[in-house]
Amino acid sequence: MEQLSSRVVYANPWMTVREDKVAMADGRTGIYGVVDKPDFALVIPRENNGFWVVEQFRYPVGRRAVEFPQGSWGAGASGTRSELAQAELREETGLSAGSMTHLGSLSTAYGFCSQGMEVFLAEDLVQGTPDREHTEQDMTHRWVSEGELRSMVRTGEVRDSATIAALALLSISEQP
């Protein structure tokens, strides 16, 4: 597939939506709508046979959501993917990790979105004070046992696809 043209149809500080005209292998043309968002880090903070999760209101779905800490660099900030994971963990939970292990890279929705995520396991945690962004004012964090988290996934209380995919990646990475 070859891109013939591209135009931005919407942009804000967090995302760009573009429309691409493409030529397919058989010569026919088509259009793709693409959402460009920066890659993000998702952190699985594990401690005492459980995990730290955050909960916040997610406007697009109109409800509070439980998920692992995650986010991207803000405007003007940059660093390594590990530094981003440490920064998001500290910002959202106040925790610092003595050990940060990269578990893998995943695409969030490559049928329409360019965004990817880097998944990290954070261990040897030290408590601190969260330093949340103004958009995270309603965010809370808490520790849940592994069994409780799995139950929350089964019952649909945890519906964040990135969190569920990260949990599956962790499970796969720990199998022989």
Side-chain angles (χ1 to χ4, degrees):
M1 193 169 307
E2 177 187 353
Q3 182 188 65
L4 302 174
S5 65
S6 182
R7 70 182 183 97
V8 172
V9 295
Y10 175 80
N12 68 34
W14 302 276
M15 63 187 256
T16 300
V17 179
R18 69 176 204 267
E19 185 176 270
D20 293 353
K21 184 175 180 183
V22 297
M24 309 212 187
D26 67 1
R28 290 188 234 178
T29 60
I31 293 176
Y32 269 89
V34 179
V35 177
D36 286 319
K37 290 185 63 121
D39 291 348
F40 68 99
L42 180 143
V43 185
I44 304 171
R46 181 166 64 181
E47 182 175 59
N48 298 327
N49 299 312
F51 304 96
W52 286 91
V53 294
V54 297
E55 183 177 335
Q56 64 182 314
F57 183 79
R58 290 296 193 175
Y59 180 82
V61 294
R63 68 176 186 82
R64 292 188 65 76
V66 175
E67 57 201 37
F68 285 131
Q70 56 192 279
S72 57
W73 289 114
S78 65
T80 68
R81 58 191 188 183
S82 180
E83 289 169 337
L84 175 58
Q86 286 279 12
E88 284 299 318
L89 179 64
R90 225 176 7 262
E91 175 186 298
E92 295 187 2
T93 66
L95 298 167
S96 295
S99 169
M100 189 70 78
T101 304
H102 184 248
L103 298 179
S105 303
L106 299 170
S107 295
T108 56
Y110 54 51
F112 70 91
C113 185
S114 64
Q115 186 178 49
M117 69 174 164
E118 302 297 329
V119 179
F120 290 86
L121 174 64
E123 296 178 294
D124 303 321
L125 304 173
V126 177
Q127 297 288 327
T129 303
D131 185 23
R132 298 180 178 128
E133 298 174 10
H134 74 280
T135 58
E136 299 168 330
Q137 292 175 17
D138 71 328
M139 181 182 283
T140 61
H141 68 283
R142 71 181 191 272
W143 180 89
V144 296
S145 70
E146 182 173 353
E148 182 181 356
L149 182 60
R150 290 178 181 278
S151 176
M152 292 166 73
V153 170
R154 277 193 303 276
T155 63
E157 184 177 350
V158 173
R159 295 169 49 183
D160 176 53
S161 60
T163 293
I164 296 169
L167 194 58
L169 190 58
L170 174 63
S171 179
I172 291 166
S173 74
E174 294 183 330
Q175 293 180 357

